[in-house]
Amino acid sequence: MSITEGHHPGYRGTGTKLTLGKFGDFGGRFVPESMILYLEELALGFESAIQDPSFWREYIRETQPTTQLHKAHQLTAIAQGATIWLKREDQNRYGSHRTRSIVGHLLLARRMGRSDIVTDCAAAKHGKFTAEMCVRFGMRCTVIMGEDDHNAQLDDVKKMKLLGATVIKVRNPAGLGTWRAATTEALQYAVSHYDASYCLMGSASGPHPLPAITGTFQSLLGEEVKTQMNDLTGEPPDAVVTCIGSGSAAVGLFRPFLSKSEIRLVGVEADQAAVLTRGETGVLQGTKTYCLQDKHGQILDSRSISPDMNISCVGPELAHWRSSHRVEVSMVTDAEAKVGLSDLSRHEKILSGADTGYAVKKVVALATDMGPGRNIVLLVTGPDNITPPSL
């Protein structure tokens, strides 16, 4: 059944048992006892919601209009191979590619009677959208950012505050002021404000059931691509490509195509935050997944010009797909990402997020390699307002 009939077409399509919270050897719940009750209630609330047709009808009413999918004429001509299509997530409100997940989380929080929303944030566009939707739903909004990310996006931080959000900047004991520090603090905040708080994870990571919740709502993105490609070409794409940070974009785009082994699922990492390429199995932020770590198991810092890719772990679902060789992964340098941003702007007149820049070189090379008569979809995220400019 379609989601418009009151069911999400993909939420049962991954073979994941919600009660276990496992994705192959990854996932689970590695948290202090103080968090268990909160997570158990969240899992029960989510299980109830996704089986309620009225929940999905409200979800569709509140989500953004479907973003455009169109041909990248100039990049396709440069590649001289497969046709490149662009999924224009930059057209979403504030350019956030997480709108589907954010709306789903907020509706679930309201259903559970929790009105104090706390979210971790790297790229401020996601915090702005969350703050605006909290106003719409009559909820309090607390956005937690790493101090470095906060200070690099002060204009957008001011806009979040104008939308009524409380913005907290944090730095962990080791001095890290990026997304990783914000995620840890957001989880701790949700537990210390247990009675009314709801942790809206910005990533597809965290302890069970947070990855399952985010992945379910984000997978509407891939469902849209599947429908749009069928309308435009009469067939599914031959490959889908996106950047990979924590994995929320990749999980959303890839999930609906998992069962079709002939469709290539291609992720691109920043070479200094290449968790799926260089990471090892470990536990971080309450889940078993791939992490950047040294030989002693100590977590290593990441580096990327994109706030959304500057993180030392990925979500457990994506880790499982990589482990089972369902997802292809490559690395791109910051310098190459800057060229990718320039190429997309110059050839297609699109100003995208820094994370999309990492994937442009790969999608052109892939199109050349696959040859004419094939179709590739590239996810385009919204621009980042970063100062001082690092791009």
Side-chain angles (χ1 to χ4, degrees), residues 197-217:
S197 68
Y198 181 97
C199 184
L200 195 166
M201 287 289 285
S203 69
S205 190
H208 170 69
L210 291 170
I213 296 173
T214 297
T216 297
F217 295 134

Side-chain angles (χ1 to χ4, degrees), residues 366-388:
L366 186 63
T368 301
D369 180 63
M370 293 182 71
R374 301 292 188 91
N375 293 291
I376 305 174
V377 175
L378 170 65
L379 178 68
V380 179
T381 65
D384 304 295
N385 184 14
I386 301 173
T387 55

Side-chain angles (χ1 to χ4, degrees), residues 131-149:
E132 182 174 281
M133 292 304 295
C134 281
V135 172
R136 177 177 173 83
F137 292 152
M139 295 171 155
R140 294 184 297 276
C141 180
T142 300
V143 178
I144 300 180
M145 303 182 71
E147 187 171 1
D148 296 339
D149 290 336

Side-chain angles (χ1 to χ4, degrees), residues 146-148 169-185 188 284 298-299 301:
E147 187 171 1
D148 296 339
K169 57 182 179 180
V170 296
R171 190 175 292 277
N172 72 9
L176 187 70
T178 57
W179 193 7
R180 195 173 103 213
T183 302
T184 300
E185 187 66 24
Q188 293 174 346
L284 185 61
Q298 298 300 305
I299 302 301
D301 293 344

Side-chain angles (χ1 to χ4, degrees), residues 79-372:
Q80 296 184 336
T83 301
I84 299 171
W85 300 82
L86 304 177
K87 178 59 173 170
R88 298 290 303 278
E89 289 297 280
D90 59 302
Q91 296 175 343
N92 278 327
R93 187 77 167 150
Y94 301 118
S96 173
H97 58 275
R98 297 183 186 141
T99 57
R100 301 162 188 81
S101 174
I102 291 169
V103 169
H105 273 287
L106 293 179
L107 291 175
L108 178 58
R110 187 171 68 177
R111 181 185 175 99
M112 295 176 64
R114 295 180 177 270
S115 58
D116 184 4
I117 304 302
V118 57
T119 185
D120 57 314
C121 180
K125 55 196 172 191
H126 311 303
K128 288 190 293 182
F129 182 77
T130 303
E132 182 174 281
M133 292 304 295
C134 281
V135 172
R136 177 177 173 83
F137 292 152
M139 295 171 155
R140 294 184 297 276
C141 180
T142 300
V143 178
I144 300 180
M145 303 182 71
E147 187 171 1
D148 296 339
D149 290 336
H150 173 282
N151 293 344
Q153 302 174 89
L154 288 175
D155 287 345
D156 283 343
V157 169
K158 291 177 183 177
K159 292 175 183 177
M160 281 187 254
K161 292 179 178 179
L162 287 173
L163 287 165
T166 299
V167 182
I168 300 173
K169 57 182 179 180
V170 296
R171 190 175 292 277
N172 72 9
L176 187 70
T178 57
W179 193 7
R180 195 173 103 213
T183 302
T184 300
E185 187 66 24
L187 288 168
Q188 293 174 346
Y189 181 102
V191 174
S192 62
H193 298 77
Y194 169 78
D195 290 341
S197 68
Y198 181 97
C199 184
L200 195 166
M201 287 289 285
S203 69
S205 190
H208 170 69
L210 291 170
I213 296 173
T214 297
T216 297
F217 295 134
Q218 276 293 98
S219 65
L220 182 61
L221 168 60
E223 296 290 345
E224 287 179 10
V225 170
K226 183 190 294 186
T227 299
Q228 289 172 314
M229 283 301 294
N230 186 65
D231 291 343
L232 290 166
T233 70
E235 56 189 11
D238 297 287
V240 289
V241 182
T242 185
C243 57
I244 292 180
S246 71
S248 59
V251 168
L253 182 63
F254 293 166
R255 242 198 201 195
F257 300 106
L258 279 176
S259 63
K260 304 293 185 182
S261 59
E262 68 275 13
I263 298 177
R264 296 174 66 176
L265 310 180
V266 182
V268 184
E269 297 184 298
D271 72 330
Q272 296 184 74
V275 178
L276 292 177
T277 304
R278 295 174 173 158
E280 302 285 344
T281 301
V283 174
L284 185 61
Q285 295 169 353
T287 191
K288 182 179 179 182
T289 185
Y290 284 132
C291 312
L292 293 178
Q293 54 189 324
D294 64 19
K295 63 181 181 180
H296 304 293
Q298 298 300 305
I299 302 301
L300 300 173
D301 293 344
S302 57
R303 296 285 185 274
S304 172
I305 59 173
S306 166
D308 278 347
M309 297 180 73
N310 191 10
I311 193 162
S312 301
C313 68
V314 297
E317 189 168 11
L318 190 56
H320 169 55
W321 297 343
R322 175 58 166 165
S323 176
S324 59
H325 307 290
R326 182 63 186 93
V327 172
E328 307 171 32
V329 182
S330 61
M331 297 184 298
V332 167
T333 66
D334 290 350
E336 290 171 321
K338 292 176 183 179
V339 173
L341 282 172
S342 176
D343 286 347
L344 190 61
S345 175
R346 182 170 69 254
H347 297 305
E348 302 296 338
K349 312 305 179 187
I350 295 173
L351 181 62
S352 73
D355 44 3
T356 299
Y358 286 90
V360 172
K361 177 181 178 180
K362 178 63 179 180
V363 79
V364 172
L366 186 63
T368 301
D369 180 63
M370 293 182 71

